[in-house]
Amino acid sequence: MKIICVGRNYVAHAAELGNEVPDSPMLFMKPHSAILTANKPLYYPDFTNDLNYEAELVLKICKNGRSIQPEFADSYYQEIGFGIDFTARDLQQRCKEKGHPWEIAKAWDNSAGLSKEFIDKSTLPNLESIHFAMSLNGKVVQQGDSALMIYSFNDIICYTSRFFKLQVGDYIYTGTPAGVGPVKKGDILIGSIEGRQMLTCEIK
Ligand code: ZN
């Protein structure tokens, strides 16, 4: 199982971090050991002073495939979940400045918050425009709409599978909208899709 993540997939989020919009999907990965699920708390890592949340829609891959063509892409996922791409923003900034890979900022243990439940895509009101939100201590801090993604789910599946064989059980984190920010010990994050609560995570 692997976790593939897309960076800078919403214009407003790229802008808030002062990044250019990429001309192809910007991919990175997290290992299996990054998964934090079942509403488990996240223990604030000792290597960062700027732990950030990023709310993302997550595709669960249900079929093996490589070099997937656009007309077949949507058959490679059936369920959508809610994820938090936890990021050590201070480490990421240092990696970016040096042109280094950023696994230590993004792929550490428990950095991939993931809802236990997934939603069958056939039950969503509009697959082209999925609304999701994150609240921090009861206040909404991120509101996303998949219609605003630069690269659609299908674009991501086609592009990704040119490089990496997609396998049943893989997850794709599809990028975060604007509103990312820091958390501190004691904070509670709650993620929802179409108003349905999907994930709770306490920072300990
Ligand atoms: Zn992200």
Side-chain angles (χ1 to χ4, degrees):
M1 191 279 283
K2 57 190 173 292
I3 305 167
I4 296 161
C5 305
V6 183
R8 301 175 199 167
N9 201 23
Y10 289 82
V11 174
H13 168 64
E16 75 180 342
L17 295 184
N19 292 316
E20 310 227 315
V21 170
D23 56 12
S24 56
M26 204 186 77
L27 303 180
F28 59 96
M29 289 207 214
K30 297 183 188 243
H32 193 165
S33 49
I35 294 262
L36 176 75
T37 189
N39 297 323
K40 288 193 186 132
L42 176 67
Y43 288 87
Y44 202 110
D46 62 6
F47 48 75
T48 179
N49 294 307
D50 194 12
L51 176 63
N52 275 214
Y53 57 81
E54 296 188 358
E56 317 208 354
L57 293 174
V58 178
L59 310 180
K60 189 193 272 184
I61 297 300
C62 63
K63 215 158 80 171
N64 295 345
R66 47 166 62 103
S67 295
I68 297 161
Q69 296 305 300
E71 59 269 39
F72 305 117
D74 66 355
S75 68
Y76 284 81
Y77 71 99
Q78 186 59 38
E79 293 176 291
I80 295 171
F82 188 98
I84 306 177
D85 168 19
F86 283 110
T87 303
R89 196 70 73 199
D90 44 359
L91 293 186
Q92 187 193 27
Q93 190 54 37
R94 259 180 271 158
C95 293
K96 279 160 70 176
E97 282 164 15
K98 293 181 180 168
H100 288 176
W102 65 25
E103 276 83 355
I104 60 165
K106 286 259 191 199
W108 36 275
D109 296 346
N110 301 325
S111 62
L114 187 63
S115 58
K116 195 172 174 202
E117 280 179 74
F118 276 64
I119 298 178
D120 193 290
K121 67 182 182 185
S122 65
T123 67
L124 287 163
N126 180 0
L127 197 51
E128 308 297 318
S129 171
I130 303 169
H131 300 94
F132 61 110
M134 177 105 93
S135 71
L136 170 62
N137 302 330
K139 180 176 169 263
V140 176
V141 286
Q142 287 193 278
Q143 278 182 300
D145 177 348
S146 66
L148 300 175
M149 292 190 301
I150 300 167
Y151 298 102
S152 68
F153 296 156
N154 288 356
D155 293 340
I156 295 167
I157 284 171
C158 295
Y159 183 78
T160 303
S161 67
R162 286 169 57 193
F163 303 91
F164 310 110
K165 180 185 182 184
L166 294 183
Q167 293 172 291
V168 174
D170 289 347
Y171 295 108
I172 300 182
Y173 281 56
T174 58
T176 195
V180 302
V183 284
K184 56 184 187 326
K185 287 180 185 176
D187 283 349
I188 309 254
L189 293 164
I190 294 180
S192 62
I193 297 176
E194 296 294 353
R196 175 170 153 191
Q197 188 171 317
M198 299 294 292
L199 170 159
T200 306
C201 183
E202 181 184 357
I203 312 299
K204 285 197 164 179

